[in-house]
Amino acid sequence: MKKAFLLIMCVCVAMVAVTTGCTSKKVDGDDSINTDSTEADEADTVDSVDSATEVIAATPMPKAADQLFDDFFFNFIANKKLQRNRVKFPLPVVNGTKTTKLTRDAWKMDYFFRKQGYYTLIFDNEAQMKYPKSTDLDSVIVEKIRLQKGTIEQYWFDHQDGSWKLNQIRTISFKDSYNADFLDFLHRFFASGGKGYVKSTLAYTGPDPNGEETATVNTTIPAEEWASFLPEIPHDMIYNILYGQKYTKTDHKIVTFRGLSNGAETQLVFKTHGKSWRLEKIIAY
């Protein structure tokens, strides 16, 4: 399995665009929008997909996709026309005490995590992992978490009249987040490649890494092999989607890496160890 376990091609992402989705909340200001979704980025992305992908991206989204946020959002990040039509202009962009309004003409296509082929989610416990399947959500927040800058760009979506729409973008600092301590830790964890933050005999549950991938095993692996079960080690940005889960002070966090096209998933289970956090277990699906 190793790194290939979750490696997803952009074309696969586009093909699944009509069937899956995700959620989140805050976002950055004007600078964030312009730097994340420049015309050059858009051109690069179009060049990276084949004609079949372009056809899928241009296909109207089924009305039923609005019932589940994930279904809507994966269409939102693949279909340029749909995205523009699902933003409430002029869009409020809040950064600290400053609020500006983004016009329709100034909006640029944002592919979010589509090009990398996977996204990340943060949960306090296993029960919260059921939230993405709920069809009763009225609001969802998609977060771009910038580890080096210590900021979170939140994209706020609401569900009204049967449709999901982006209604505002906000930027907050880590210190204003319920996950402040953990996000600071994740910055150190990923920047160091996990060195010093992984249990020496790391618990593992998933397909046998040394045998048949169809067989699920419960075993331990060397600490230094933890990253081999991920598509990559994030260096700056990770994502999170708030489907309504309420974060609390806890000694347990789950960071999930989820592939877009095949549903492959790796969960990193962290627990507090002394005054810091430590990776205690890997669960792979």
Side-chain angles (χ1 to χ4, degrees):
M1 51 195 272
K2 301 295 181 182
K3 290 181 180 291
F5 186 66
L6 287 180
L7 203 52
I8 313 299
M9 300 300 292
C10 288
V11 66
C12 295
V13 177
M15 288 180 175
V16 79
V18 297
T19 58
T20 47
C22 40
T23 326
S24 176
K25 202 164 181 174
K26 295 180 184 177
V27 87
D28 206 343
D30 292 336
D31 290 343
S32 167
I33 296 170
N34 292 333
T35 56
D36 283 346
S37 307
T38 61
E39 292 180 0
D41 286 340
E42 185 173 339
D44 290 342
T45 301
V46 172
D47 290 340
S48 70
V49 297
D50 60 16
S51 58
T53 300
E54 294 176 14
V55 170
I56 293 172
T59 300
M61 184 183 75
K63 186 174 182 180
D66 265 313
Q67 296 179 9
L68 193 68
F69 180 80
D70 279 2
D71 290 348
F72 154 73
F73 191 70
F74 282 110
N75 280 273
F76 182 83
I77 64 178
N79 189 317
K80 183 177 181 180
K81 182 178 180 181
L82 173 69
Q83 185 171 118
R84 188 175 292 271
N85 289 337
R86 292 303 186 91
V87 178
K88 294 181 180 180
F89 296 109
L91 183 69
V93 178
V94 182
N95 193 337
T97 59
K98 180 182 178 181
T99 299
T100 57
K101 295 293 184 69
L102 188 67
T103 65
R104 177 180 290 271
D105 290 340
W107 179 261
K108 297 184 185 302
M109 177 70 177
D110 194 332
Y111 294 93
F112 290 82
F113 41 72
R114 177 175 173 237
K115 290 187 287 184
Q116 71 183 26
Y118 73 93
Y119 61 104
T120 48
L121 298 166
I122 300 174
F123 300 104
D124 278 356
N125 50 59
E126 291 78 2
Q128 291 183 351
M129 300 176 74
K130 299 177 181 178
Y131 281 51
K133 300 302 182 182
S134 174
T135 58
D136 297 325
L137 302 176
D138 293 323
S139 63
V140 170
I141 301 172
V142 178
E143 297 185 322
K144 293 180 180 179
I145 301 172
R146 297 184 179 273
L147 298 171
Q148 295 181 17
K149 291 176 63 176
T151 60
I152 305 172
E153 301 164 14
Q154 299 182 320
Y155 293 75
W156 296 54
F157 292 84
D158 61 25
H159 192 255
Q160 294 182 354
D161 300 323
S163 299
W164 284 102
K165 290 187 177 181
L166 175 64
N167 65 74
Q168 65 174 302
I169 296 173
R170 292 188 178 188
T171 298
I172 63 172
S173 65
F174 280 5
K175 66 180 179 62
D176 295 321
S177 167
Y178 284 108
N179 280 324
D181 175 69
F182 186 66
L183 294 178
D184 284 334
F185 161 75
L186 282 183
H187 179 206
R188 299 190 302 272
F189 178 80
F190 289 131
S192 67
K195 188 175 182 179
Y197 300 111
V198 182
K199 190 174 181 180
S200 57
T201 52
L202 183 62
Y204 168 81
T205 297
D208 188 350
N210 300 311
E212 293 291 334
E213 292 195 357
T214 55
T216 299
V217 297
N218 292 294
T219 185
T220 59
I221 58 175
E224 60 270 18
E225 292 187 8
W226 74 271
S228 65
F229 295 90
L230 304 181
E232 64 180 1
I233 297 178
H235 294 290
D236 181 20
M237 186 187 296
I238 60 174
Y239 289 85
N240 187 35
I241 300 175
L242 302 178
Y243 300 92
Q245 64 266 38
K246 303 296 184 181
Y247 297 116
T248 60
K249 289 291 184 180
T250 179
D251 63 353
H252 186 263
K253 293 285 185 182
I254 303 171
V255 178
T256 297
F257 286 71
R258 184 171 292 172
L260 295 181
S261 70
N262 63 358
E265 179 172 306
T266 298
Q267 298 171 9
L268 304 182
V269 181
F270 295 89
K271 293 184 179 180
T272 53
H273 181 70
K275 294 183 178 181
S276 184
W277 292 83
R278 185 173 70 176
L279 178 60
E280 299 271 338
K281 185 175 184 178
I282 288 180
I283 303 173
Y285 296 95

